[in-house]
Amino acid sequence: MADTAEILSGLAEIVEEVAGIDTAEVTADKSFVDDLDIDSLSMVEIAVQAEDKFGVKIPDDQLAELKTVGDAVSYIEKNQ
Amino acid sequence: MTDVVVTGYGASTPLGGDAASTWDALLAGKSGVGLTRGEWTEKQDLPVKISAQLAVDPTDVLPRVQARRMDRVEQVAVVTAREAWAHSGLAVGEGEEPKVDPTRLAVVIGSGVGGAVTLLDQDDLLETAGLRKVSPLTVPMLMLNGPAALVSLEIGAQGGVYAPCSACASGAEALASAYRMLKAGEVDVVVAGGAEACITGITVAGFVQARTLSQRNDSPEEASRPFDTGRDGFVLGEGAGVMVLERREFAEARGATIHGTLAGIGITSDAYHITGPDPEGKGQARAMLNAVRTAGLEPSDVGHVNCHATSTVVGDVGEARAVQKALGDHPVLTAPKGALGHLVGGAGAVEGLISLLSVRDGIIPATLNLKDKDPAVELDVVAGEPRKMELTAAVNNSFGFGGHNASLLFTK
């Protein structure tokens, strides 16, 4: 089981791989769409990679609710 | 009616990663053909082991994240369009006023098969790993209008995006479409060309089964030999060519450098056979004559024809006869596919650019590997060394599976 810091850094690596955003920019308060400029196609890729990395399921209706990096970290932490 | 002038160009080919290196390598008599590189070549034991792959991989030029969202054909189109756009002087920095009204700027980029490699790769993933592993970018990467659409995003073109598809004539047809749009006054500037990147097992296998590819695996650089008695088929290639075309008044008003004029076009179709050209070359001859007529010139003005000649037994002789029938005995021919291989949807745009440069610089590149000219070809074909020759007009031919014939006529 990954802790909060591990989930954040793991998620940041995925975001960097998919969207080319420096891992240091991927902080809990950032909005995927408004701050990191990630489009809906890339969000699908990020979700699939996060599912594999953390052993969680992120259904589409849940994915739509994950507005910020922090939202995603908490969701993964609760559901892993 | 306005003239259509060329103010910028770019290319990425088996001979070089840009237009200048491609042109220099062509004049120097270099070959872009070699043994095919790629993981799939180890899995598929096909009788053709050679192709003309890009000299510079677009993934070495594009930022990684941009590249991973594109099929290879889209990557090479964007890299080439970026070069042409910068070359035209129309590119501006972030936040600066555009030099052309975006609603008066259009894109026409053709391709023969589009993102076929993505289609195959994603289908494999669906079969082996299931739906979850299929990329959400699959459709924008495989769609045939992808290269044109991505170029429109790159330059902010809002005056229309088109993707003509006419097999090996697609690139030439894109330039012809741009000509029509500019002549009609629909827009002021069009970024137009063609791109292809489909060298993979199934395309090679398909062309092998159609008996169209050279099997000269032991000497790749000598495999593509248009008009030579030893020719045994074409060499599949990949690459892109893009031009920036403008209404002459618009280009002059902004003080652009003008590299030449796309003075006439001819588009015809054979309605004869799905792959074979009409043996009498009637459609090809009409295309060339239409290009001359739309330019307001006479056949005697055309000193040079840059031939489609792919190095197939039937096609090369048929084209030479069609040139003779349409224009007479005087045009001097060359066939750049000896060096470039066959860039399919990219061919017409890259070879159109070569024709433009021949007119501008007064020099015709030699047909690589033409050692022993087929006696059925009666016209003069440049071989050995490039030939210096002042040209009033040059015609570029591109023909495609499906009976497509596209001729472009360039003047200074």
Side-chain angles (χ1 to χ4, degrees), chain B residues 39-272:
Chain B
E39 277 174 32
W40 65 268
T41 58
E42 289 154 29
K43 285 182 269 173
Q44 309 281 355
D45 186 26
L46 299 174
V48 172
K49 309 208 176 290
I50 54 174
S51 62
Q53 291 172 298
L54 288 168
V56 175
D57 202 292
T59 54
D60 292 341
V61 182
L62 288 170
R64 181 187 62 83
V65 169
Q66 198 173 19
R68 72 185 290 284
R69 292 173 66 96
M70 298 180 193
D71 183 90
R72 187 172 172 85
V73 68
E74 297 172 335
Q75 294 169 356
V76 72
V78 166
V79 165
T80 305
R82 203 176 273 180
E83 180 195 354
W85 190 239
H87 188 229
S88 72
L90 284 166
V92 292
E94 191 81 32
E96 286 177 45
E97 274 295 295
K99 293 183 181 175
V100 52
D101 174 354
T103 65
R104 303 277 302 165
L105 169 64
V107 172
V108 192
I109 307 277
S111 177
V113 301
V117 177
T118 291
L119 177 62
L120 293 164
D121 288 348
Q122 296 298 321
D123 186 60
D124 282 352
L125 278 175
L126 179 61
E127 293 291 327
T128 58
L131 173 66
R132 288 181 69 256
K133 292 294 179 183
V134 173
S135 170
L137 292 153
T138 299
V139 174
M141 286 170 72
L142 70 82
M143 62 193 196
L144 214 140
N145 57 315
L150 285 161
V151 169
S152 81
L153 292 173
E154 183 78 16
I155 62 171
Q158 297 171 13
V161 178
Y162 305 82
C165 178
S166 48
C168 310
S170 303
E173 199 171 303
L175 296 170
S177 301
Y179 170 97
R180 287 170 170 159
M181 293 163 73
L182 291 161
K183 283 278 186 185
E186 291 173 26
V187 287
D188 295 320
V189 179
V190 185
V191 174
E196 202 74 72
C198 65
I199 302 174
T200 193
I202 190 63
T203 42
V204 173
F207 283 124
V208 166
Q209 289 300 77
R211 306 293 189 268
T212 54
L213 294 182
S214 169
Q215 302 203 359
R216 205 180 287 259
N217 297 318
D218 51 353
S219 53
E221 297 195 346
E222 296 176 327
S224 185
R225 40 197 320 118
F227 298 122
D228 189 87
T229 48
R231 68 192 185 280
D232 69 333
F234 72 81
V235 172
L236 185 60
E238 58 179 355
V242 172
M243 293 187 198
V244 178
L245 300 143
E246 303 185 32
R247 294 171 51 241
R248 182 184 291 280
E249 301 78 47
F250 187 85
E252 285 179 351
R254 71 179 186 90
T257 302
I258 290 170
H259 301 283
T261 305
L262 176 55
I265 61 156
I267 305 279
T268 66
S269 47
D270 284 351
Y272 172 77

Side-chain angles (χ1 to χ4, degrees), chain A residues 26-69:
Chain A
V26 185
T27 50
D29 58 316
K30 295 280 174 64
S31 155
F32 288 109
V33 174
D34 298 333
D35 299 322
L36 301 178
D37 201 22
I38 291 171
D39 67 11
S40 60
L41 300 176
S42 291
M43 274 310 290
V44 174
E45 286 193 278
I46 289 167
V48 169
Q49 290 198 22
E51 286 182 340
D52 290 349
K53 191 164 199 157
F54 301 111
V56 291
K57 283 269 165 238
I58 311 177
D60 284 357
D61 55 346
Q62 292 294 324
L63 180 61
E65 298 302 315
L66 305 181
K67 307 288 185 201
T68 66
V69 174

